[in-house]
Amino acid sequence: MFSMSALFLTGLVGLGSVSAHAAESAPVTSANDTATLVTDRDAVGPDQHLRVGLHLQLRPGWHTYWINPGDAGDAPTLDVTAQDGATGRGSAIHWPVPVRISEGGLMSYAYVNDVLLPEDLALKSTGQGSGGTTLKAHAEWLVCAQVCIPESGDFTLTLPASSGDAPPGAQAELFHRADAAMPLPSPFAASVAGDGTLTLEGQGLSPSAVKDAWFLPQDGGVIDQVAHQPLRVSEGRVALGLKFLKTAHRDAPLKGIVVLRDAAGQESPLQIEAKPPVGGTAAVPASQAGPEAVPASVPQNSDVPAGMAGWLRVLAFAFIGGLILNLMPCVFPVLAMKALSLAKMGGSGRQRQIQSALFYTLGVVGAFAVLGLLMIGLRMAGSAAGWGFQFQSPGFVVSVCWLLFLMGLNLLGVFEVTPGRLGQVQTGTGHLGDMMTGLLAVIVATPCTAPFMGVAIAGALGGPPVVGMLVFLCMGLGLAAPYLLVAGIPGLAARMPRPGAWMGMLKQILAFPLFATCVWLLWVAAIQRGADLVLITAGGLVLLGFAAWIFGVSQHRAMRDGGFGEVLFCRFVAALCVVSCGVALAHNVQSLPEPETTAQTAEAGIEPFSEARLAELRGQGRPVFVDMTASWCITCMVNERVALDVSSVKAAFSARHVAYLKGDWTNRNAAIAAYLKAHGRDGVPLYVYYPSDNGAEQVLPQILTPGLVLSTIGQ
């Protein structure tokens, strides 16, 4: 007969503090937790079997994660090796049963208070030295409260030799309590149907013995982890209704922990591997099910955002954000291409105007679709990719710099392959040029985040992939909407200036915003990889300039006397220059080290952001202004020049003793990415003000003015 009390889960939380001694390493301490490496024995004998573990003592309100962190988070890792008189390597972590944390429509499987994550370590004597061993370990873990902070530690623990097997040490009790928190092998037959019904069958299961139950999946991406799990109990059978994700492999075994709770509240965690029956099975018929008991501790299903109305709101925000993106500084360089296209509309027929707008829209929306697929795919693969993430790649920054430089030379007339003419050669209508203009608009727009886009991008990356793609497509439609509007309303298109000689002058003038953007990207490259990358980028600009000039010379020669052989040689040299740039970039950029400091964190009165420093300042009662920025974010740079780096705001910060913490996301940074995610953002800028009275934080808009900043801090 199955005994519920025999399987009672104890010791998951409140393991208690144990004083340091030989079987415990020096602690790694932060504002959020204390971590040590512990062993179950104070010494080691020849070929001793040892148990070693990461002991985390978490501050109130903080948690870390299970092997399956749930909808968000990351599992801890522990790598232990033994050396000197005895050698060996630690096994995989044995995972205690976690608690469930449901928040914001997401489910996490976590550990709170104290937890020990043990491993097995089989030692083999080397016959050298005293016979003792020195353990070296490296661990990484993520702790979360309102924000998430990645932490890590390196531990060293030396154990002396013992003539025989060493007895249990002073830390052995920690391992006994961790063992009590482990799931036990299930004594019941487990199976799962194609519709998600998980069934346990065997003696001891009955409506009087099982009052509540829930399932914790060992692997993510299998079931909707936050969905309600309806329970049906009958004599000898327990059935839980799970909601499979559409991407789950339903013919694979379902692994995880089923927790059964009896009438007295005692819980029994059982490790199960439920195999789908041959040929599949349907749900348990109602006639076979006993009284239904709905686990009170299992949250009801909630979509993010909730319902159709919520998703329509996100789609509307995506469209509005894309529309406002036209006014952001990032897109100004592409206004050159737009201005020329609009100017040409004045002398075009109605059909050509509409076709131009449609193909420009196709380029914009297509680019957003590719960007959406890439970001959603990276997120599903576990990468923390956010809006503008591609500008964290030095190779991408340099490539865009070179592209804009070539476009500027094209506008100046160094060579005559314009997007429109290229399109005329291939399609007869210039449609390729319109599409390329739309593609370029998206490329240079991604460093900026417009108002309303934060909610839209968070919804796109946190919801179903299909709806996420709709969000990105709506952003593309918003960015293309003004051009569609001008082309679609006959009165507006007819009022555009007629083409003339003035267009040649306008074309040349508009080359200089592109060159200014190249200077900015050169500065970004310097911050990302220092002077070496600047040298590569500047050398590439010279080489591309030579390639553009020699290509232009070949064009003039071909138009003048048709010297085919000479023209072919010139174009071969130009192509060789372009290929040389690509080879130099691919060969060198990844090997360049990141600078130790950046201009963003070296300014007077500004400290680099860290969660530990933020917590310290708030503990002192000081007001704190957090600025999440990046050198490739033009909106961030404009806000800094216009609203933050001005005398009135600086004086107010000084007078009110406001601490200014700046997080530089120019290069990838997990702590900054976690802070952004905790505030519902997937890109910069983000401005957060923490008052001195430890009141609620205030998130500022993405477009700042001095008056807005001053009013926020109460000046």
Side-chain angles (χ1 to χ4, degrees):
M1 189 72 172
F2 163 61
S3 171
M4 301 297 294
S5 59
L7 301 178
F8 175 46
L9 171 63
T10 61
L12 178 60
V13 297
L15 290 177
S17 61
V18 181
S19 59
H21 33 64
E24 184 174 22
S25 71
V28 173
T29 303
S30 72
N32 317 307
D33 58 25
T34 299
T36 56
L37 184 73
V38 296
T39 59
D40 66 337
R41 302 176 191 274
D42 298 336
V44 293
D47 300 332
Q48 177 97 54
H49 177 83
L50 192 67
R51 301 187 68 194
V52 59
L54 178 66
H55 183 204
L56 295 175
Q57 301 175 70
L58 301 160
R59 303 290 187 269
W62 292 85
H63 61 266
T64 190
Y65 292 95
W66 186 45
I67 183 174
N68 172 17
D71 295 316
D74 197 12
T77 61
L78 175 62
D79 184 17
V80 183
T81 57
Q83 56 190 32
D84 297 334
T87 60
R89 193 178 193 91
S91 67
I93 292 175
H94 300 295
W95 299 94
V97 179
V99 296
R100 294 170 300 160
I101 300 177
S102 177
E103 191 173 36
L106 301 176
M107 176 66 75
S108 296
Y109 305 119
Y111 303 111
V112 296
N113 298 332
D114 283 16
V115 63
L116 177 68
L117 302 177
E119 293 185 355
D120 294 323
L121 178 59
L123 296 174
K124 185 172 183 59
S125 177
T126 62
Q128 300 177 358
S130 63
T133 188
T134 298
L135 303 182
K136 299 283 189 179
H138 177 76
E140 296 182 359
W141 63 98
L142 183 69
V143 291
C144 295
Q146 296 301 316
V147 296
C148 290
I149 304 172
E151 297 189 348
S152 63
D154 291 295
F155 307 91
T156 300
L157 180 58
T158 300
L159 300 175
S162 173
S163 57
D165 284 351
Q171 296 283 20
E173 182 61 23
L174 280 176
F175 290 87
H176 295 330
R177 294 180 181 178
D179 290 341
M182 297 291 174
L184 297 178
S186 174
F188 309 113
S191 62
V192 60
D195 65 351
T197 301
L198 173 62
T199 304
L200 300 182
E201 295 180 296
Q203 291 186 349
L205 298 174
S206 67
S208 61
V210 179
K211 295 299 184 182
D212 202 353
W214 55 91
F215 175 69
L216 312 176
Q218 181 174 309
D219 302 307
V222 178
I223 67 170
D224 185 346
Q225 299 173 124
V226 78
H228 169 52
Q229 299 177 2
L231 171 66
R232 298 182 181 90
V233 184
S234 59
E235 198 64 39
R237 179 193 295 263
V238 169
L240 276 172
L242 308 179
K243 182 180 179 182
F244 275 119
L245 297 178
K246 293 182 179 179
T247 55
H249 298 289
R250 305 192 184 191
D251 56 346
L254 182 66
K255 300 179 181 180
I257 299 173
V258 174
V259 181
L260 304 178
R261 179 185 290 165
D262 64 15
Q266 294 180 337
E267 297 175 359
S268 302
L270 306 176
Q271 186 76 45
I272 64 115
E273 181 175 340
K275 297 182 180 179
V278 178
T281 182
V284 178
S287 60
Q288 298 180 13
E292 180 170 286
V294 179
S297 58
V298 178
Q300 298 297 313
N301 187 24
S302 60
D303 295 325
V304 185
M308 181 62 69
W311 281 116
L312 291 177
R313 173 175 170 269
V314 170
L315 294 176
F317 279 179
F319 181 84
I320 296 172
L323 189 64
I324 298 177
L325 204 57
N326 285 280
L327 306 177
M328 305 302 286
C330 309
V331 194
F332 287 170
V334 186
L335 292 180
M337 311 303 297
K338 291 184 179 180
L340 288 175
S341 298
L342 290 172
K344 291 176 183 177
M345 275 191 176
S348 303
R350 176 76 175 150
Q351 182 179 3
R352 174 68 183 92
Q353 293 169 354
I354 294 177
Q355 288 178 346
S356 175
L358 289 177
F359 276 91
Y360 169 75
T361 302
L362 182 61
V364 171
V365 174
F368 264 101
V370 173
L371 185 61
L373 283 172
L374 186 58
M375 288 184 65
I376 292 172
L378 288 173
R379 280 299 180 95
M380 292 179 68
S383 175
W387 181 253
F389 73 97
Q390 64 271 34
F391 275 86
Q392 293 176 327
S393 166
F396 183 84
V397 170
V398 174
S399 299
V400 173
C401 178
W402 287 346
L403 174 63
L404 294 180
F405 180 69
L406 286 175
M407 290 178 57
L409 294 179
N410 174 224
L411 292 174
L412 287 177
V414 176
F415 62 101
E416 296 297 329
V417 178
T418 65
R421 181 167 299 181
L422 180 62
Q424 291 172 5
V425 171
Q426 296 187 1
T427 67
T429 60
H431 295 159
L432 180 60
D434 295 320
M435 291 178 61
M436 293 300 294
T437 304
L439 172 63
L440 183 65
V442 176
I443 290 176
V444 300
T446 49
C448 284
T449 303
F452 299 98
M453 281 181 59
V455 174
I457 295 173
L461 299 180
V466 173
V467 180
M469 285 302 303
L470 288 177
V471 171
F472 279 97
L473 295 179
C474 283
M475 278 192 284
L477 288 174
L479 181 61
Y483 199 85
L484 280 172
L485 186 66
V486 172
I489 301 178
L492 289 178
R495 287 181 173 85
M496 296 300 298
R498 295 287 176 180
W502 63 273
M503 287 185 61
M505 180 65 69
L506 174 64
K507 176 182 174 183
Q508 294 181 6
I509 291 174
L510 291 177
F512 293 95
L514 298 183
F515 292 147
T517 305
C518 292
V519 174
W520 162 62
L521 291 172
L522 194 64
W523 174 66
V524 173
I527 291 178
Q528 288 181 320
R529 290 295 187 273
D532 289 341
L533 186 58
V534 173
L535 179 62
I536 294 173
T537 308
L541 292 175
V542 174
L543 202 57
L544 291 173
F546 176 73
W549 172 76
I550 199 170
F551 187 82
V553 168
S554 72
Q555 286 183 316
H556 292 301
R557 181 63 58 89
M559 288 186 292
R560 188 179 64 205
D561 54 22
F564 179 76
E566 187 175 345
V567 169
L568 186 63
F569 175 75
C570 289
R571 295 188 178 182
F572 171 76
V573 172
L576 187 62
C577 292
V578 175
V579 171
S580 298
C581 287
V583 171
L585 181 63
H587 183 264
N588 293 296
V589 70
Q590 295 302 327
S591 62
L592 298 177
E594 294 184 18
E596 293 184 3
T597 59
T598 70
Q600 295 295 319
T601 58
E603 304 166 48
I606 300 177
E607 299 182 59
F609 170 84
S610 72
E611 284 289 352
R613 182 57 177 158
L614 175 60
E616 180 183 355
L617 290 168
R618 297 209 70 195
Q620 296 172 0
R622 287 187 62 183
V624 183
F625 183 85
V626 175
D627 174 6
M628 290 298 177
T629 182
S631 301
W632 40 260
C633 171
I634 298 184
T635 303
C636 305
M637 300 297 102
V638 171
N639 283 337
E640 184 174 322
R641 299 294 184 270
V642 171
L644 296 175
D645 192 16
V646 295
S647 58
S648 59
V649 172
K650 287 182 175 180
F653 275 28
S654 177
R656 299 185 66 86
H657 303 287
V658 177
Y660 190 157
L661 301 184
K662 179 176 287 189
D664 188 352
W665 210 37
T666 303
N667 294 305
R668 291 182 176 88
N669 185 297
I672 294 177
Y675 186 87
L676 292 170
K677 185 176 180 180
H679 287 79
R681 296 286 179 83
D682 285 276
V684 289
L686 172 64
Y687 307 102
V688 183
Y689 177 67
Y690 297 88
S692 58
D693 56 359
N694 286 325
E697 64 183 39
Q698 302 175 41
V699 179
L700 282 69
Q702 292 161 317
I703 304 298
L704 298 182
T705 64
L708 175 63
V709 177
L710 292 174
S711 64
T712 300
I713 68 173
Q715 181 73 23

